[in-house]
Amino acid sequence: KMNLVVRSHCELSNTIILSNHIKTTTKTCFLDYNHINNLQLVDENSEDDGSYMLESLILDYNHLNKLSGPCFSQLSSLSFLSIQHNSIYNLESLNVLKNLQALRLSHNKLTQLRGISGILSLKQLYVDHNLLNNTNGMIELLSLPSIEVLDFRFNLLQESAIKNFISKLIEACPTLQTINNSSKDNFIGKKPLEIKSQQPLLQQDSDSSSSSSSSS
């Protein structure tokens, strides 16, 4: 069984059929640093409707601008998803990921976070370096019952709006531990906001991570 699949820097482009690169038992898949602009789990003509055990998927540094809901509907075990440095502008297809705990979307083109409230298991969310310009587009964050770490630095939000929104977050999200934001004032009322660099939930064997490529 191959638990780790690495396809980084492989010149993969256009539409990628994920099932061509992983087995149903694969736990972690790296597809970063490619030219992927569309992701499908299986071929459109495939009758494969089985469940995949994939827990971590890394798609950083590609050309993705949207994500397919059907692709993720069979990835019910996915707990870590990283799509940093792409052109993502819509999250609504991700609400099928009922066990997702960490979502990294830094350096994309998000203007709002509609659909994020459907990921009730989400603990870590990174949406820094996007195009968020109004807290009305972030209102669904107030409905995340498990959120612990939230990073929305370097967007287009006004500092006064950030402060008001953080106050709402603290009241609505009792599990919240860390907020990384662009405001100079990191204290709301008497409650300090912990500002620190977080490591992703992804865990992999150190021996496996040193491998530059593995076959599925």
Side-chain angles (χ1 to χ4, degrees):
K1 296 181 180 179
M2 187 59 65
N3 289 331
L4 172 65
V5 171
V6 179
R7 293 288 185 272
S8 307
H9 297 283
C10 288
E11 299 296 326
L12 300 175
S13 61
N14 300 321
T15 297
I16 293 299
I17 308 298
L18 191 56
S19 61
N20 290 343
H21 299 274
I22 67 171
K23 295 181 180 293
T24 57
T25 55
T26 300
K27 295 294 184 66
T28 300
C29 180
F30 284 84
L31 291 170
D32 50 331
Y33 292 95
N34 284 292
H35 308 288
I36 302 168
N37 60 26
N38 188 31
L39 186 70
Q40 294 178 207
L41 179 59
V42 296
D43 186 271
E44 293 179 352
N45 299 320
S46 172
E47 297 181 357
D48 179 10
D49 59 356
S51 178
Y52 287 75
M53 297 173 63
L54 194 67
E55 297 176 355
S56 300
L57 178 60
I58 295 84
L59 292 160
D60 301 344
Y61 291 95
N62 277 288
H63 299 158
L64 293 162
N65 57 34
K66 60 181 179 179
L67 301 166
S68 168
C71 174
F72 291 104
S73 62
Q74 288 175 250
L75 298 178
S76 59
S77 297
L78 199 66
S79 61
F80 178 87
L81 177 61
S82 186
I83 323 175
Q84 300 181 115
H85 292 274
N86 279 271
S87 300
I88 301 296
Y89 62 85
N90 191 309
L91 300 181
E92 293 185 17
S93 61
L94 296 182
N95 57 15
V96 298
L97 295 172
K98 302 303 182 183
N99 292 306
L100 192 66
Q101 295 185 41
L103 178 58
R104 287 182 170 267
L105 289 159
S106 306
H107 295 273
N108 276 283
K109 296 183 178 180
L110 293 168
T111 59
Q112 48 81 23
L113 302 177
R114 188 173 297 115
I116 199 73
S117 62
I119 313 176
L120 300 180
S121 57
L122 195 62
K123 293 182 178 181
Q124 298 185 13
L125 176 63
Y126 298 83
V127 288
D128 55 286
H129 295 88
N130 275 277
L131 302 176
L132 299 170
N133 59 13
N134 192 315
T135 55
N136 288 335
M138 302 166 62
I139 202 71
E140 290 192 26
L141 292 176
L142 302 177
S143 301
L144 294 175
S146 303
I147 194 69
E148 297 176 358
V149 178
L150 178 60
D151 188 342
F152 53 86
R153 295 170 297 160
F154 303 107
N155 278 279
L156 305 177
L157 299 163
Q158 297 292 324
E159 185 170 333
S160 58
I162 292 175
K163 291 180 181 180
N164 292 334
F165 190 67
I166 288 176
S167 296
K168 294 179 181 178
L169 279 169
I170 291 174
E171 181 177 354
C173 305
T175 58
L176 193 58
Q177 300 174 10
T178 303
I179 300 178
N180 291 346
N181 67 89
S182 299
S183 174
K184 296 177 181 178
D185 183 3
N186 294 325
F187 294 85
I188 303 299
K190 295 182 179 180
K191 184 170 183 178
L193 302 178
E194 184 181 8
I195 307 298
K196 65 179 183 179
S197 175
Q198 293 289 319
Q199 296 298 317
L201 293 181
L202 174 64
Q203 295 179 348
Q204 61 188 55
D205 192 284
S206 57
D207 293 333
S208 299
S209 62
S210 63
S211 172
S212 60
S213 176
S214 304
S215 68
S216 61

